[in-house]
Amino acid sequence: MARMVAERADAIAPLAEVFREHGYEGASLALIGKATGLGKGSLYHFFPNGKEEMVRAVLGEIGQWFEDAVYSPLRNESDVNGAIRAMLASTDQYFRSGRRVCLVGALAVANTRDLFAQAIRGYFVAWVDALQSALIRQGREADQSRLLAEEAVLAIQGAIILSRAMDDPAVFQRAIDQLRGRLVIENDTSNYEGTTDVSPQNEGRLVQD
Amino acid sequence: MARMVAERADAIAPLAEVFREHGYEGASLALIGKATGLGKGSLYHFFPNGKEEMVRAVLGEIGQWFEDAVYSPLRNESDVNGAIRAMLASTDQYFRSGRRVCLVGALAVANTRDLFAQAIRGYFVAWVDALQSALIRQGREADQSRLLAEEAVLAIQGAIILSRAMDDPAVFQRAIDQLRGRLVIENDTSNYEGTTDVSPQNEGRLVQD
DNA sequence: GCGAGACTGTACCGATCGGTAAACATATTA
DNA sequence: TAATATGTTTACCGATCGGTACAGTCTCGC
């Protein structure tokens, strides 16, 4: 049952990291081997279709993680504001305040986009849809929710780029704080702590643009 | 005076395009040669330090274009709202509504970031600073202007990613429209046409978060 | 112990990589 | 026209690329 040998699943996290850091073309089999501790033989045993299959496995894992940690709560959690706050906190952690690249976003920009177009699109569509669902359950109009959800997802991607370009994680955190102020409706009495002060001055205003 | 031979300057636009489409590592000398119509010999004659120098030349050209077309008007134009609208229009055109990648943003995400860190940082710092200057001249507070400027630049980068991932330029245009509503203060009587209707409901409200 | 799969290390493949060298063509100047 | 600067072509270099082949090793059910 408990094998001594490495498992395919163990390779996925290092794979994700090496693709994040070097991109699809930049991640050579030498780098991949170093990152995973696996030789070419093992790599092609686990992923017979080479790098493409590795990336697909990584994208699947990423999608599953976001589904469980972010999308599903956004769609199903009864505490909508809590789910949104959790999304922002998870996002901040996951992307390490912009120090960590979003692999899906990076692939969307690279010329390899076509190869993984479906997975890339699915990742973002699921995110926007789930967030829109949460915003609608807040009482917002469907159209406004769509716009706002798009805006939020897009801002996170942009924040990664800008904070990396500036080499300043605070840029990312400011963007997250900004989003919290825009997405969360402050009509409850529960106290929470944000990373910076968010003045609750938009109580009751459901529509805001 | 009028040379028959190609000039270095003529190579920069094709170079920019090939780096945009394939990234730094993905743009092989074969692709570069095909894009520019120049052989390796000519390329290394114009750019003795190879690809790195080519990218630096491209970044310089890009920076100059944005300086003239965007940053300078933002800093100096007396019609501040006009300069901001012009920035949004230029940006929409330049990035072809998200169909065209931002090379600087792409480099900021790739592992080649360190090589061009200074140029990348300079590009974004200049943009944010220029936009902040315009927002301050609108009458906004300095801190709010900083936040808003960062948010706008970040949103443009994110919009490129999202619209490419969705394969839908409308995503980019919606983001631009959203930004216009947030950045432009509608207190003048001049009529203009946006790409979509922007309800002027924030008259006089200088601070908004 | 033994066969069967699962896994791994290594040698190897043709292609392509970025970059160099130098002969060659062209254009400008004296 | 001779000399020079400028640009171009071509052949070539060693290194590395992604991928394959396959012999070998390990672990397990029997």
Side-chain angles (χ1 to χ4, degrees):
Chain A
M1 189 140 329
R3 300 272 214 72
M4 278 298 120
V5 292
E7 300 187 19
R8 193 187 120 119
D10 299 333
I12 298 213
L15 279 176
E17 219 52 47
V18 77
F19 281 120
R20 255 189 275 268
E21 287 171 9
H22 300 275
Y24 183 71
E25 320 216 39
S28 67
L29 286 182
L31 281 172
I32 292 172
K34 197 162 298 182
T36 58
L38 264 36
K40 287 187 183 182
S42 302
L43 287 170
Y44 273 86
H45 174 70
F46 290 132
F47 308 96
N49 283 336
K51 295 213 291 179
E52 179 179 337
E53 189 170 350
M54 298 180 205
V55 169
R56 288 195 192 282
V58 168
L59 289 179
E61 185 85 354
I62 291 174
Q64 195 56 57
W65 188 90
F66 273 86
E67 174 62 31
D68 298 341
V70 178
Y71 308 158
S72 172
L74 282 177
R75 279 195 301 261
N76 305 318
E77 181 65 57
S78 61
D79 175 10
V80 185
N81 285 321
I84 292 177
R85 285 211 196 90
M87 172 192 93
L88 294 171
S90 297
T91 299
D92 187 40
Q93 277 199 341
Y94 186 87
F95 294 120
R96 313 237 171 101
S97 299
R99 279 179 291 258
R100 197 195 213 186
V101 161
C102 175
L103 176 59
V104 191
L107 288 175
V109 164
N111 63 326
T112 47
R113 177 181 62 145
D114 302 4
L115 244 183
F116 310 108
Q118 201 173 348
I120 293 169
R121 183 189 174 87
Y123 171 86
F124 284 111
V125 166
W127 197 341
V128 171
D129 283 354
L131 182 52
Q132 182 189 18
S133 150
L135 296 174
I136 288 177
R137 280 178 10 258
Q138 276 183 331
R140 301 172 126 110
E141 289 181 18
D143 290 355
Q144 283 293 337
S145 299
R146 181 85 200 160
L147 267 177
L148 197 46
E150 251 179 35
E151 182 194 335
V153 172
L154 153 176
I156 290 168
Q157 294 296 313
I160 293 173
I161 292 183
L162 195 60
S163 74
R164 276 181 68 88
M166 304 279 212
D167 201 21
D168 181 7
V171 172
F172 187 88
Q173 285 163 342
R174 276 198 292 272
I176 293 289
D177 288 344
Q178 192 99 323
L179 281 180
R180 184 165 28 237
R182 193 166 294 142
L183 297 177
V184 174
I185 296 181
E186 313 280 359
N187 52 6
D188 54 353
T189 58
S190 68
N191 51 356
Y192 69 98
E193 57 285 350
T195 52
T196 73
D197 55 334
V198 179
S199 49
Q201 63 189 24
N202 56 345
E203 311 176 23
R205 293 186 66 247
L206 298 191
V207 183
Q208 168 183 9
D209 81 340
Chain B
M1 191 145 320
R3 300 270 214 71
M4 279 297 120
V5 292
E7 300 187 21
R8 192 187 121 119
D10 299 334
I12 298 214
L15 279 176
E17 220 52 48
V18 78
F19 281 120
R20 255 189 275 269
E21 287 171 10
H22 300 274
Y24 182 71
E25 320 217 39
S28 68
L29 286 181
L31 281 172
I32 292 172
K34 196 163 297 183
T36 58
L38 265 34
K40 288 186 185 184
S42 301
L43 287 170
Y44 274 84
H45 175 70
F46 289 133
F47 309 96
N49 284 334
K51 294 211 292 177
E52 179 179 336
E53 188 170 352
M54 298 179 204
V55 170
R56 289 195 192 283
V58 168
L59 288 178
E61 186 86 355
I62 290 174
Q64 194 58 55
W65 188 90
F66 273 86
E67 173 62 31
D68 298 342
V70 179
Y71 308 158
S72 172
L74 282 177
R75 280 194 301 261
N76 305 318
E77 181 65 57
S78 61
D79 177 10
V80 185
N81 285 321
I84 292 177
R85 285 211 195 88
M87 172 192 94
L88 294 171
S90 297
T91 299
D92 187 40
Q93 277 199 342
Y94 186 86
F95 294 120
R96 311 234 173 101
S97 298
R99 280 179 291 259
R100 197 195 213 186
V101 162
C102 174
L103 176 59
V104 190
L107 289 175
V109 165
N111 63 327
T112 48
R113 177 181 62 145
D114 302 6
L115 246 182
F116 310 107
Q118 201 174 349
I120 293 169
R121 183 189 174 85
Y123 171 85
F124 285 111
V125 166
W127 198 340
V128 172
D129 282 355
L131 182 51
Q132 182 189 19
S133 150
L135 295 174
I136 288 176
R137 280 179 10 257
Q138 274 183 331
R140 301 171 126 110
E141 289 180 19
D143 290 357
Q144 283 293 338
S145 299
R146 181 83 201 163
L147 267 177
L148 196 46
E150 252 178 35
E151 182 194 335
V153 171
L154 153 176
I156 290 169
Q157 293 297 313
I160 293 172
I161 291 184
L162 195 60
S163 75
R164 276 180 67 89
M166 304 279 212
D167 201 21
D168 180 7
V171 172
F172 186 88
Q173 286 162 341
R174 276 198 292 272
I176 292 288
D177 289 343
Q178 192 99 324
L179 281 180
R180 183 164 30 236
R182 193 167 293 143
L183 297 177
V184 173
I185 295 181
E186 311 280 0
N187 52 5
D188 55 353
T189 58
S190 69
N191 51 356
Y192 69 99
E193 59 284 351
T195 51
T196 73
D197 55 332
V198 179
S199 50
Q201 62 190 24
N202 57 346
E203 310 178 23
R205 292 186 66 247
L206 298 191
V207 184
Q208 168 182 9
D209 79 344

